[in-house]
Amino acid sequence: MNTLPPSPGPLPAPAPDPRARHLVPDHEGMHTLVAELAVPGEASMYVMSAMETSRELIRHSYYRYEFATVAVTHSLFALERVLAERLAINRPLQELIERAADAGLISAELAAELDRGRLLRDSLTQGAVTSAALGPERAVDMVRAVFDAVRLLLRPPPAAGAPAVDMSGAQAEGRLARLYGEHRRAPYPDSFRGVDIEGVELILLDADVAGLLQRELNGGLDGDGIAILWACIADLDKIAPLINSEYCASYFTRLRTAAKLVAARYVPTAT
């Protein structure tokens, strides 16, 4: 026997969230905002579900602003699964992102954007920010980074007999030279001149690492240079997650990637 009271009638349509009204004239406009977030057809059902859900959360942030932040954190489920499968390891997301960048599977700039999503998720977990931390437009940028990374990571690995991605020999030398060239051409972020983070003077760290990269490309580092390089990498690892500027974060992420490429040459081979 049904003891529930009769329904009072159809529920009222949800009201637009006033914080999202400036983006689009109506909910239909949200479809255009997320139209480019296409889920790769070769993704697993788990990954497709997470990616589709993150896209729909952004779409419906027109009615609930906080859905935009939740969309970013939800998309990381897909990213973490694809990274773990492609790299064949089960590690924290930060390490997975770094390893994918070091292996050349994703660019340093893309890795920096993905890590900003991870930092947002961690800040939410720690109670440092609320679910209203960012709006739909920024959420689209961060979720797009996840979609781009998943698309790249789902590409089949090189066929048998094809050159594999590795960090040794001519391939690594070419990648190091390319990263160093990109770094030299990139202007230093002006707003971070004279700035230090956690006691690390950014512009001095930049100069130290760039000098070490040049010395490596010109013949190699001696023992003192290797020791300084490892100290610089420790500083880069410390400051990179704390930079709140997109350009500055990508600038130092690229520098860190190049530094770690050099450091990998001086790690003793296991015997």
Side-chain angles (χ1 to χ4, degrees):
M1 179 177 178
N2 186 3
T3 59
L4 293 175
S7 172
L11 295 174
D17 192 312
R19 295 168 291 178
R21 281 181 173 175
H22 70 283
L23 289 175
V24 292
D26 50 35
H27 186 242
E28 288 298 316
M30 297 298 289
H31 303 331
T32 303
L33 191 65
V34 301
E36 63 183 29
L37 299 178
V39 179
E42 61 272 28
S44 68
M45 289 302 297
Y46 176 89
V47 171
M48 289 179 68
S49 175
M51 295 175 76
E52 288 173 350
T53 299
S54 65
R55 183 185 62 204
E56 294 309 303
L57 282 166
I58 295 176
R59 194 196 306 271
H60 292 293
S61 64
Y62 180 77
Y63 297 115
R64 183 67 183 181
Y65 190 82
E66 283 81 357
F67 286 176
T69 298
V70 178
V72 175
T73 61
H74 197 85
S75 71
L76 297 180
F77 296 150
L79 176 67
E80 192 161 9
R81 172 66 66 89
V82 172
L83 279 168
E85 291 177 351
R86 181 63 190 269
L87 296 170
I89 54 172
N90 184 19
R91 306 293 299 169
L93 181 56
Q94 180 179 7
E95 184 175 339
L96 292 173
I97 293 170
E98 289 177 356
R99 291 200 182 201
D102 291 345
L105 298 173
I106 57 176
S107 68
E109 291 77 10
L110 182 54
E113 181 73 346
L114 296 172
D115 202 52
R116 279 188 282 277
R118 178 193 65 81
L119 287 170
L120 173 64
R121 181 197 64 183
D122 292 351
S123 296
L124 278 168
T125 302
Q126 296 157 10
V129 299
T130 71
S131 294
L134 74 167
E137 289 177 305
R138 184 67 181 111
V140 168
D141 291 338
M142 299 181 82
V143 171
R144 183 191 300 115
V146 171
F147 275 56
D148 289 346
V150 168
R151 194 173 296 109
L152 289 170
L153 293 163
L154 288 177
R155 288 177 178 174
V165 175
D166 62 56
M167 292 298 107
S168 61
Q171 244 184 341
E173 188 75 16
R175 184 168 182 236
L176 177 60
R178 177 179 59 78
L179 287 171
Y180 178 64
E182 290 175 357
H183 186 75
R184 288 192 61 189
R185 291 189 295 272
Y188 185 85
D190 282 334
S191 60
F192 284 81
R193 294 186 186 277
V195 172
D196 74 83
I197 296 177
E198 295 289 317
V200 178
E201 187 80 20
L202 297 191
I203 198 165
L204 295 180
L205 178 62
D206 174 45
D208 287 344
V209 178
L212 292 167
L213 297 179
Q214 186 174 39
R215 285 168 57 188
E216 175 66 18
L217 289 167
N218 288 341
L221 299 178
D222 58 16
D224 289 341
I226 296 168
I228 295 170
L229 176 68
W230 281 111
C232 288
I233 288 173
D235 284 342
L236 287 165
D237 286 343
K238 180 165 63 174
I239 61 100
L242 303 177
I243 297 174
N244 60 4
S245 159
E246 183 173 348
Y247 175 75
C248 188
S250 65
Y251 182 92
F252 279 95
T253 297
R254 177 175 52 230
L255 192 65
R256 180 173 63 170
T257 299
K260 288 186 174 182
L261 278 176
V262 175
R265 301 177 175 186
Y266 296 100
V267 175
T269 305
T271 58

